[in-house]
Structure formats: C-alpha cells, structure tokens
Amino acid sequence: MSEFKLTTVEEFEAATARLLETGAKVGADSWQMRVKNQTPHCKFGEQGVCCRICAMGPCRITPKAPRGICGCDVHGIVGRNFLRFTAGGAATHSDHGREICITLGHAKEGGDYQVKDPEKLIRIAKEWGVETEGKDIYDLAHEMSDLAQEEYGKIRGNSRWLKRAPQHTQDLWHEAEIEPRAIDREVSCALHMTHMGNTSKPEALIRQALRNGLSDGWGGSMCGTEFSDVLFGTPKPIETEANLGVMNAENVNIVVHGHDPSLSEMICEYADSKEMIDYAKSMGAKGITVSGVCCTSNEVAMRRGIPMAGNFLQQENVVLTGACEAIVVDVQCIFPALGPLSKCFHTKFITTSPICQMPDSDFIRFNADTAGENAKQIVKLACENFKNRKPELVHIPDMKQKATVGYSVEAIVKTLDGVTNSQVDETGTTKPLLECITSGVIRGAVAMVGCNNPKVRPDTAHIELMKKLIANDIVIIASGCSAQAAARAGLMDKAAKDLCGAGLKRVCELADIPPVLHMGSCVDISRMMILASELAKDSGLNISQLPVVGCAPEWMSEKAVSIGNYVVATGIDTFLGVDPYVSGSTEVAGLLTEGVRDWVEAAYTVEKDIDKLGDLMIERIEEKREALGI
Ligand code: BF8
Ligand code: SF4
C-alpha cells in the first residue's frame, strides 16, 4: 500500500482559519468577510437584466417594466451584457498575448530575453509562410514579433491560427460567419454592437460573442502561449510542489502573482543567482524561495518547476503567513485587497505594470529593455525586507503535495508515443491516446479549467469532480486555478493513479503520468484547442464527435466567459457550475444551452449541483462513445 493521501478541502479550510486568526490580530480584512458584506447579491445583476450602457438608465427589467427607456427588451439587455462580458475577457487575454509578442521583439543573443525554443519559432514561421532558410534566429524572432502584432489590427483576412483547426471546424466557422478577423477588431466590434441603439437581437449578439471568443482562443491567447514557449521554452514534464507549505520560514519568500511570464521568468532567474542568494544570506536568511499564485505561477511551474503556493482565493493567505517578503504582481486576477492587507504585515506589495496599478503598492515599472535590472531591484528589495518580519506573526501551514507538471501538447504526444506499440513517426501523433480512448481503456477526457468563486465552496468542485471523473476512467487535462486546486490536493502526484478506474490507472502506470495533467495557465487553454484539433485530424472525426468535454465549475472572470465561448465554438460541450448572468432571458439562455449547437455542434450546460454536473459530463461522454459505436 502506498502512503499517498490527498489533502482534503477540510484541511485547506482549517489552514485558512488558522491564518485568519493572525489576520484578526492585526486587523486585516479578508474576502471571507467581504463576501458576507456583499450578500445577498443584487438579483437584477445576477439575472443580467440591468442595463447601464447609456445615461438614460440604469434600466432594470421587471414584469411591470418589461422594457428599458429606449425600448430594449430583456433579451437584448441580457445578450448585450453577455457580449460585453466576453469582450472584456477576450481583450484581457489578447492584450497579454500582445505583450508576449512585443517581448519577442526584444529578444537578443545573450540578452534577458532569448529564443529558448528556436525549433518552435521556425515551425510557426513556416506555418505562416515566412521564409526561414539561412535567417538568423533573432532576425526571424523580430520579424515574427511584428507579424504577430499585426494579427491584432490587420485590415483584411482572418486569424492566421484558424488554419490549425480541422477543415470541418473551419467550414462551420465560415458558414456561421464567426471566423475572427483582426483580434482587436472583434473586441471593438463587440463594444460597438452593444452601444446604445445598436444590436438588440440575441442571435446576433451571441454570434459575435462566439466570434470574439474565437479571436481570443484562436488569436490572442494562442499568440500568448506559442510565443511564450518560443521565449521561455515549451514545457516538458517536471517535478514541483503545491500549497502554502512550499513557502520557507527560513528563507526570503517572494511570491509572484498574475499572468505574464515576462516578469516572473526574470524574477526566478535573478532569485536563483549566487549574487542574490548571497545577498539574502547577508540579510540573515538562509536563501530565497520563489513561489507563485494564479497563472503566472502556472507559467513558471510548467517551465521551471517553481512551486505553486496557491490559486485565486489563496492570494490573501500567502500574505497572512507573515512570511512573505514581497508579493510581486503583473496583471489580472490580483485583489486590490493586497494593498491594505500588506500594510498589516511587513510584506511589500509590488505592482509592475501600467495595466495594473493599485493603491498601497510600490510601483516598480517593468520594461522589456531593463527587465534584468528591474527584477534585480525587486529581489533585492525583498531580501532587505527580511529583517522587518514580525516573528510572532509567522505561521506557514505545514501542507504541500508533490506534483508533476509541464504537459504541453508536445509533451503529451511524446510521453504517450513512447509507451505504445503504434508506429512512432518523427514528430509523434495523438494516435496512442486515441487508441486508449477507442479501446475504452480511457473513456474520454475532460478539460477542467477556471477560477475559484466564493459562490462555490472553494476548490471542492474542482477536486470532487476530478476524483469522480478519474474513478470513471476519464483523464483530466487542467489549467489555471483548476490545475492548482488539483496540485494542492495531490491529484498531480503520480501516486494519485490509485484513485483511478482500472483502465486509466494502467495508462498512468505505463506512461508514468499523473491522472490530472497540468497544461498550464488560462491562455494555455489554446493548447487544449490544438490537442482537440490533432485528435480530430488523427482520428478522422469531427471535434464534436470526440468524447471530450470542457468544465469550469468555479469560474468567476470575464476571461472565463471568453474561454467558454471559444471552447464551445470549437465544438466542445462546456459545463459551468456558475451561471453567466443570463438566467433573465429565456432566449439568450436557450441559445447558449442549445441554439448554438446548430452553428458549432456544441453548447453550454449550466448546473450548480456539482455532483449532477459530474454525472452530466459522464453521460455526455458516454453518449458520444455510443454514437461512435465504441
Ligand atoms: O487566468 S483561473 S482566477 S488566475 S481567470 Fe484568474 Fe480564473 Fe485563476 Fe488565471 Ni484564469
Ligand atoms: Fe436603458 Fe436602453 Fe439606456 Fe440600456 S440603453 S440604459 S435599456 S435606455
């Protein structure tokens, strides 16, 4: 018998309760307290029936007032709100992707940013019809940086990445008129359509929501993922650890938080240098521990094995340990609460991006040209702050799990190709995975993604669903905060194979993989789209026929809605545990849960009962198997 044991949500909660006691001592606020202050939520907002896009409003739809002042009905209002939500998410992911494209333009031989995966750069260049022969790799990087940035504003044509999809998917997009054009254009178009006095027809609004989502997943996010791999390396399986216990009481603790790896990569690089470690020692620490929160953590975990301290709703906890010298943030999903909270401790809250500026933070502007110096300055500041710790406030929960992460599409293909008897060609294919699925050893796959949301008991939905699915021989690919929930519980430890059904357990043993595969950050859901496309091409099936579904059981952000839209638009049924504020309109809800199936062969399912949500996913996977006769 192995000694492997999952960490339970009850144990997570006990650790948090202990940290909140420290918080109470120093007068700190917490999200748990703020949730109480904000409950109950506004019903109009929850149903999506409040419109404030012009100053004649806000207009709220009720049985007595069925139309806004302009005459817009509830379906128009709910649909417009949904599209605006999507546009916010698509803009956010895509602008992150743009920053990576810009950083690629700064790459140089021996510089802070280098081309770590030249093969991938050349592969993409060839895909885009760019001459690579005899070209210096950095000249090529700069040319690709320009071309990629042009994807955001080009005047004609569609996203270059669409060609990666199976022809059938491309045809569906064409027929439905949802092929994304320039990335920025789809965001602008969404805002334009939803301005007062424009579209109020739900069908047109939802069509644009899908198109805008696609401009993210098959545009901006794909730029983010692919060019991050070029700059920082394509992830390969690597060992790491997860949960608050990865912080080290004897070391200077730097926590990186946010999304853009350009900053966190540099911090990790310098924190690991002898110069900085010696500096930390001169300040009385034993060394430096960098750990992460949210997607920036996923990025550096996947490429460097940097441990993951926590996910979205753990971000205050890292400060509450009293042992965090600096929490260094770039963009997105950062609680403004970290400002006042850090003031209750010795922690430096360091913001670095003009995109994300907050009160009560130290702003150290991070520039691609001066990245090394900026990172060094930040690491030094953290070291110097070690002496300001208040020992009586230090408590790091003794809680962590081992995790194997780094499953890019390339890594999955390589790992599985290595263990089967099928023909292995040079680049590898997804055929071994398909064989496991068609033979029924693995019943299917679920892409588990997305955030935490206090509306769902944090992490339970992720963890319970994953346990249920792997026990039913369904392999999980995970990203974002869902992946971190899995890692913190122990589901990314290879020993978690013991929780699987017999078929999946055998695959895990043969391939030496955990049953939950970490595919990266939220922009990396573009990796999942590529994997689904490869599976479809290698099997000769349409994506919608594959026994594969997507699930975001605890989602909260606009980005998650944008993701949901492109996952559905790619032909993958998507299951949500939190309602996307559309319950106020039968027409909009009907389109999303059924109507869009006519265009893209997939739709949403919303179910707040998590156990039922799991059953529905298993049912859907089995239906797809039955339809294929496997
Ligand atoms: O982009 S899963 S809470 S960290 S939004 Fe944010 Fe949600 Fe986490 Fe990453 Ni994604
Ligand atoms: Fe009201 Fe129409 Fe203005 Fe919306 S656009 S706030 S429904 S008047």
Side-chain angles (χ1 to χ4, degrees):
M1 274 309 276
S2 75
E3 289 163 31
F4 173 71
K5 185 185 156 297
L6 287 183
T7 309
T8 64
V9 170
E10 286 73 19
E11 287 167 314
F12 289 178
E13 287 170 346
T16 299
R18 169 66 183 76
L19 291 170
L20 289 172
E21 282 173 24
T22 316
K25 267 191 226 155
V26 296
D29 192 16
S30 67
W31 65 259
Q32 289 85 348
M33 288 149 84
R34 294 189 298 273
V35 165
K36 284 191 192 130
N37 296 342
Q38 289 293 344
T39 309
H41 294 284
C42 165
K43 287 276 169 263
F44 298 106
E46 273 186 338
Q47 294 167 10
V49 302
C50 170
C51 181
R52 49 175 295 281
I53 63 173
C54 96
M56 292 191 284
C59 298
R60 300 174 307 184
I61 302 304
T62 63
K64 262 172 60 196
R67 286 180 187 270
I69 292 169
C70 65
C72 190
D73 68 10
V74 75
H75 310 296
I77 290 175
V78 171
R80 289 194 305 215
N81 286 338
F82 184 78
L83 177 51
R84 287 209 157 200
F85 216 92
T86 306
T92 304
H93 272 152
S94 299
D95 207 35
H96 160 179
R98 178 186 352 241
E99 292 293 334
I100 299 293
C101 300
I102 294 171
T103 305
L104 183 66
H106 288 266
K108 62 169 186 256
E109 185 86 57
D112 283 328
Y113 296 111
Q114 300 180 17
V115 172
K116 291 237 178 92
D117 191 342
E119 276 164 35
K120 188 155 193 172
L121 178 64
I122 292 169
R123 203 173 352 125
I124 301 168
K126 286 190 174 149
E127 204 180 314
W128 285 13
V130 173
E131 184 55 56
T132 59
E133 223 33 59
K135 216 174 257 176
D136 174 78
I137 199 72
Y138 285 93
D139 288 342
L140 183 62
H142 301 157
E143 189 177 340
M144 291 300 287
S145 160
D146 282 358
L147 275 182
Q149 286 176 69
E150 277 168 25
E151 281 297 289
Y152 287 78
K154 64 184 186 188
I155 52 174
R156 49 183 78 82
N158 300 318
S159 167
R160 288 174 183 269
W161 299 118
L162 304 188
K163 298 251 175 332
R164 290 183 163 190
Q167 191 56 47
H168 173 75
T169 309
Q170 294 184 48
D171 292 345
L172 288 177
W173 292 339
H174 184 71
E175 279 156 34
E177 291 184 46
I178 55 171
E179 292 158 302
R181 300 155 292 181
I183 297 163
D184 289 345
R185 181 170 182 186
E186 299 309 348
V187 176
S188 287
C189 180
L191 294 179
H192 186 178
M193 282 176 80
T194 53
H195 187 276
M196 188 272 149
N198 274 329
T199 301
S200 53
K201 198 172 157 187
E203 189 196 301
L205 294 164
I206 298 309
R207 228 181 257 277
Q208 180 59 20
L210 297 181
R211 191 180 214 178
N212 204 359
L214 286 170
S215 77
D216 168 0
W218 290 85
S221 275
M222 209 168 274
C223 285
T225 295
E226 295 295 83
F227 294 116
S228 290
D229 283 357
V230 168
L231 280 167
F232 307 120
T234 302
K236 303 195 256 299
I238 188 167
E239 303 299 321
T240 185
E241 291 176 329
N243 221 344
L244 289 167
V246 303
M247 294 173 74
N248 184 330
E250 294 178 323
N251 286 356
V252 169
N253 285 295
I254 302 176
V255 178
V256 290
H257 176 12
H259 287 77
D260 184 341
S262 309
L263 167 79
S264 41
E265 278 283 331
M266 286 300 114
I267 300 280
C268 294
E269 190 72 35
Y270 281 89
D272 205 25
S273 70
K274 182 168 182 314
E275 185 193 351
M276 286 299 120
I277 294 171
D278 286 346
Y279 194 61
K281 286 181 181 162
S282 76
M283 295 291 150
K286 285 214 165 137
I288 303 175
T289 297
V290 181
S291 60
V293 172
C294 284
C295 282
T296 223
S297 171
N298 290 321
E299 298 273 0
V300 287
M302 292 275 283
R303 298 197 179 90
R304 291 176 176 263
I306 296 291
M308 300 174 275
N311 48 359
F312 181 61
L313 285 180
Q314 293 267 305
Q315 58 183 289
E316 291 175 311
N317 284 4
V318 297
V319 178
L320 288 167
T321 61
C324 174
E325 273 59 56
I327 181 160
V328 189
V329 306
D330 48 83
V331 291
Q332 304 167 27
C333 300
I334 295 146
F335 273 6
L338 292 178
L341 178 63
S342 64
K343 296 282 173 245
C344 299
F345 292 85
H346 74 303
T347 307
K348 294 265 181 213
F349 174 41
I350 302 174
T351 47
T352 58
S353 166
I355 303 283
C356 175
Q357 304 181 52
M358 291 188 181
D360 296 315
S361 71
D362 293 328
F363 185 61
I364 298 179
R365 189 172 178 152
F366 193 78
N367 288 314
D369 279 332
T370 52
E373 281 163 50
N374 300 145
K376 225 165 156 179
Q377 186 191 353
I378 292 169
V379 175
K380 272 182 119 175
L381 208 76
C383 292
E384 286 155 12
N385 198 23
F386 184 75
K387 61 178 183 301
N388 298 324
R389 243 193 221 180
K390 299 186 184 97
E392 70 281 11
L393 296 181
V394 173
H395 168 76
I396 299 175
D398 179 20
M399 195 181 258
K400 62 180 175 184
Q401 287 278 9
K402 284 196 291 185
T404 307
V405 302
Y407 291 97
S408 56
V409 176
E410 291 86 337
I412 292 177
V413 166
K414 195 163 173 231
T415 306
L416 290 174
D417 245 359
V419 287
T420 58
N421 302 322
S422 70
Q423 286 288 319
V424 180
D425 65 28
E426 279 255 289
T427 46
T429 71
T430 61
K431 287 196 177 130
L433 181 55
L434 282 165
E435 277 164 25
C436 293
I437 294 174
T438 44
S439 66
V441 177
I442 295 178
R443 306 299 294 173
V446 175
M448 291 286 296
V449 306
C451 328
N452 299 129
N453 183 330
K455 286 180 182 167
V456 179
R457 185 177 173 193
D459 298 321
T460 21
H462 292 297
I463 295 168
E464 291 309 317
L465 285 172
M466 288 187 208
K467 278 163 55 183
K468 180 172 183 140
L469 293 166
I470 62 174
N472 281 281
D473 288 323
I474 293 168
V475 68
I476 310 284
I477 51 176
S479 73
C481 290
S482 183
Q484 291 173 324
R488 288 170 52 229
L491 288 163
M492 286 180 177
D493 186 329
K494 288 175 185 168
K497 67 176 170 35
D498 291 342
L499 306 171
C500 301
L504 180 57
K505 182 174 175 181
R506 208 163 86 229
V507 174
C508 289
E509 281 169 351
L510 282 172
D512 193 29
I513 53 170
V516 179
L517 300 174
H518 196 324
M519 279 196 103
S521 64
C522 290
V523 291
D524 290 342
I525 295 170
S526 62
R527 296 190 199 279
M528 298 178 180
M529 299 303 98
I530 296 170
L531 180 60
S533 297
E534 292 305 310
L535 284 167
K537 287 185 211 166
D538 288 342
S539 64
L541 298 170
N542 299 330
I543 291 179
S544 61
Q545 291 176 291
L546 299 169
V548 171
V549 302
C551 178
E554 304 183 23
W555 74 274
M556 64 85 206
S557 76
E558 292 172 317
K559 291 181 285 176
V561 171
S562 176
I563 292 168
N565 286 346
Y566 73 72
V567 174
V568 165
T570 302
I572 301 170
D573 284 320
T574 297
F575 292 74
L576 304 178
V578 176
D579 177 60
Y581 301 150
V582 297
S583 62
S585 160
T586 47
E587 281 186 31
V588 173
L591 274 167
L592 293 175
T593 55
E594 214 35 68
V596 295
R597 198 175 286 285
D598 292 341
W599 308 334
V600 292
E601 301 177 345
Y604 284 101
T605 298
V606 183
E607 175 55 65
K608 292 185 200 160
D609 179 324
I610 295 304
D611 201 41
K612 259 194 216 152
L613 191 69
D615 291 338
L616 289 170
M617 286 196 277
I618 295 171
E619 251 169 55
R620 190 65 51 86
I621 283 172
E622 291 301 331
E623 271 167 32
K624 291 197 184 253
R625 295 189 66 91
E626 211 177 302
L628 290 172
I630 56 172

